[in-house]
Amino acid sequence: VNLPPRSNVERSAMHKASAMMLLLAAVAAGPLVDATSFGQGLAANPIRKVVTMLQAMQKKVTEEGQKADELFEKYECYCKSSSSDLSASIEAAEVKTAELGTSIEGDSSKKAKLEEDLKSHQDDRSAAKAAMAEATAIREKEKAAFDKALSENKVNLAALNKAVAALEKGMAGSFLQSRAAGSLQKYVASNRELSEGDRQTVLSFLSGKEGETYAPQSGEITGLLKELGDEMMADQKDMIATEDAAVQAYEGLMAAKKKQGAALSESIENKLNRVAELGVSIAQMKNDLEDTIESHGEDKNFLADLGKNCDAKAAVHEEEKKMRATEIVALADTIRVLNDDDALELFKKTLPSSSASLVQMRASTSALRAQAHALLAQTRSRLSPGQERQRIDFISLALRGRKMGFEKVIALIDELVATLKKEQSDDDHKKEYCAAQLDQ
């Protein structure tokens, strides 16, 4: 919103002063009238008309000043409220910038720590899976070895039991010809727990060297075989017990590793979610920080411009008040002069009396023309170069001429007054526009 520029105010004041001086010139340099016109002129006092017009102008200038003061008060209120709001916004932005910086730094540190923990948990889970795979592979090998050893133990033990039964029944020959005798022979030959003498005795029997001369009643071979069977049964029980212990250890290890893996997976999932949330939060805070910094800069610039504009408008308003005061004083002085008795006497002198001679009329007319020229010159000196000076020059030229009737001079003055009224109306519309903009 712009207040009326200084040039409009000055122009308005000068135009009003020009119109006043031209009206006075018109009164002072009026044409010669007859006695009838003189009587009508006394009835309608032109000075009173000028005074009334100037009083209306004075009232209008005063009202314009009041409206301008009201508009400036609203603008000044806008300056103060906007300045306060901007200062509060700038202060809040500075606090928010510091808080966002601290929050971003803290969350970034948390995110980095979570990522370190996440990598450690992932490594631990991978190690747990590798341990489970390794334990499974070992267990499978151990199970295969156990199954093979147990199977061989059972086969050898069965062969040994058959040999003992055959010996006790006196059927050693038929046993020695069976496949069980061959299996038992291989087992005894590989068994390092037997003494060399016992092993040779058993192997000699199984190879058939004893033949039919063997006497079962002696019981030597039978005793050795039974003793070997007891050892084989004890070995079988040890193998089964060892296998059961290995299975339990494997199952315990697998259960612990699965529990550890589940806990690590849950922790990894939680930390992944937390890392993602922190990443989103940090990104949002960074965007918010950028927007806050940008808004802070814009508010500071706007506050600086607002201060300059408000100061400039205040200076313009003060200058307008001075111009308006000067104009009111000029109008008051003019009204006072016109209301003086000397002005009435001057008016009476401008109109010829019924007893005035033609020479006196011409002398009076010449004097009045000189006064009108002086008033026009004084008015012209106060105006800036332009259309108004050209019109006043044309009016002066018309006064100097002898052939042009003063009706044309009056018409020129009326045209100038109409132009001044139009410009004043344009100024009023500008003020109404400013008032409407300030109220919004």
Side-chain angles (χ1 to χ4, degrees):
V1 178
N2 292 323
L3 294 175
R6 178 180 175 181
S7 58
N8 288 342
V9 176
E10 293 177 346
R11 186 177 64 183
S12 176
M14 297 304 296
H15 287 172
K16 292 173 181 177
S18 301
M20 177 189 69
M21 299 304 294
L22 291 174
L23 288 171
L24 292 177
V27 172
L32 294 176
V33 295
D34 54 17
T36 304
S37 297
F38 174 67
Q40 295 175 352
L42 288 178
N45 190 336
I47 292 182
R48 175 50 53 192
K49 291 183 180 179
V50 172
V51 170
T52 301
M53 184 193 69
L54 293 178
Q55 288 175 341
M57 291 174 62
Q58 188 180 34
K59 180 180 179 182
K60 189 171 185 179
V61 170
T62 302
E63 292 175 351
E64 290 174 353
Q66 293 174 352
K67 291 181 179 179
D69 289 339
E70 291 176 359
L71 291 176
F72 181 74
E73 286 179 1
K74 293 181 180 179
Y75 186 80
E76 190 175 29
C77 179
Y78 159 75
C79 289
K80 291 180 180 179
S81 60
S82 298
S83 177
S84 177
D85 293 342
L86 287 172
S87 298
S89 177
I90 291 171
E91 184 178 355
E94 291 174 351
V95 173
K96 186 177 181 180
T97 299
E99 291 177 349
L100 285 173
T102 302
S103 299
I104 291 173
E105 183 178 357
D107 285 357
S108 298
S109 178
K110 291 179 182 178
K111 183 171 178 287
K113 181 64 171 59
L114 285 172
E115 289 173 345
E116 291 179 2
D117 294 343
L118 189 59
K119 185 178 183 305
S120 176
H121 291 343
Q122 289 173 340
D123 292 341
D124 291 343
R125 185 175 64 175
S126 298
K129 290 181 178 180
M132 291 171 67
E134 183 180 2
T136 300
I138 294 173
R139 179 87 281 277
E140 290 175 351
K141 291 180 180 180
E142 291 177 347
K143 182 67 168 58
F146 166 76
D147 290 341
K148 182 179 179 182
L150 181 62
S151 177
E152 291 176 351
N153 181 273
K154 288 181 177 180
V155 170
N156 292 330
L157 184 59
L160 189 145
N161 289 332
K162 289 180 180 180
V164 171
L167 287 172
E168 289 178 344
K169 293 178 180 180
M171 300 174 64
S174 61
F175 171 75
L176 293 175
Q177 294 177 359
S178 65
R179 294 179 61 184
S183 298
L184 183 59
Q185 186 179 6
K186 290 180 182 179
Y187 171 73
V188 172
S190 64
N191 191 337
R192 299 303 177 190
E193 295 181 359
L194 290 173
S195 64
E196 186 63 24
D198 293 341
R199 181 167 52 252
Q200 290 300 325
T201 299
V202 175
L203 289 175
S204 176
F205 164 73
L206 293 174
S207 64
K209 292 180 180 180
E210 296 289 339
E212 297 296 330
T213 62
Y214 177 72
Q217 290 79 6
S218 63
E220 182 180 3
I221 298 299
T222 302
L224 289 173
L225 291 177
K226 286 182 176 182
E227 184 180 352
L228 183 59
D230 293 338
E231 292 177 357
M232 291 175 65
M233 183 58 69
D235 291 341
Q236 187 181 105
K237 290 180 180 180
D238 289 341
M239 281 191 295
I240 293 174
T242 302
E243 175 65 13
D244 291 341
V247 170
Q248 290 180 359
Y250 170 75
E251 291 176 351
L253 175 64
M254 294 299 290
K257 291 299 181 181
K258 287 180 179 179
K259 184 177 181 180
Q260 181 186 9
L264 288 171
S265 297
E266 183 179 0
S267 179
I268 288 171
E269 184 177 357
N270 293 334
K271 284 180 169 57
L272 282 173
N273 291 334
R274 183 59 180 152
V275 167
E277 291 173 357
L278 285 173
V280 173
S281 177
I282 290 171
Q284 290 176 344
M285 286 190 293
K286 286 182 177 180
N287 291 335
D288 193 7
L289 180 61
E290 292 178 359
D291 294 341
T292 302
I293 292 174
E294 182 179 359
S295 177
H296 176 262
E298 292 176 354
D299 287 346
K300 289 185 69 176
N301 293 335
F302 189 78
L303 181 61
D305 293 339
L306 180 66
K308 293 179 182 178
N309 293 334
C310 291
D311 292 342
K313 294 299 185 294
V316 170
H317 181 67
E318 289 299 322
E319 186 65 23
E320 290 177 352
K321 287 178 67 175
K322 293 180 182 178
M323 293 295 299
R324 201 173 288 110
T326 302
E327 184 177 349
I328 291 175
V329 171
L331 289 171
D333 291 342
T334 304
I335 292 171
R336 179 179 55 81
V337 170
L338 293 177
N339 283 331
D340 191 73
D341 294 338
D342 294 337
L344 181 60
E345 292 298 327
L346 176 62
F347 169 70
K348 291 180 178 180
K349 292 178 180 179
T350 59
L351 298 177
S353 63
S354 57
S355 60
S357 64
L358 181 60
V359 176
Q360 290 175 335
M361 290 180 185
R362 288 179 177 176
S364 176
T365 301
S366 299
L368 291 176
R369 286 182 183 273
Q371 291 180 6
H373 281 304
L375 290 173
L376 290 172
Q378 184 179 2
T379 302
R380 185 182 185 279
S381 65
R382 295 180 180 178
L383 297 176
S384 58
Q387 187 66 26
E388 287 78 2
R389 276 193 176 187
Q390 294 177 3
R391 291 179 178 177
I392 290 178
D393 291 341
F394 188 72
I395 294 172
S396 298
L397 181 62
L399 288 174
R400 292 190 184 95
R402 298 297 183 181
K403 296 181 179 181
M404 178 182 289
F406 208 75
E407 292 80 3
K408 294 185 178 181
V409 176
I410 295 297
L412 291 174
I413 294 175
D414 290 340
E415 181 181 354
L416 179 58
V417 171
T419 300
L420 295 177
K421 286 183 178 179
K422 183 179 182 302
E423 291 177 352
Q424 182 62 43
S425 177
D426 292 340
D427 291 342
D428 293 340
H429 287 315
K430 287 182 179 180
K431 287 189 176 182
E432 291 176 359
Y433 172 78
C434 290
Q437 291 295 316
L438 285 174
D439 291 336
Q440 289 180 354

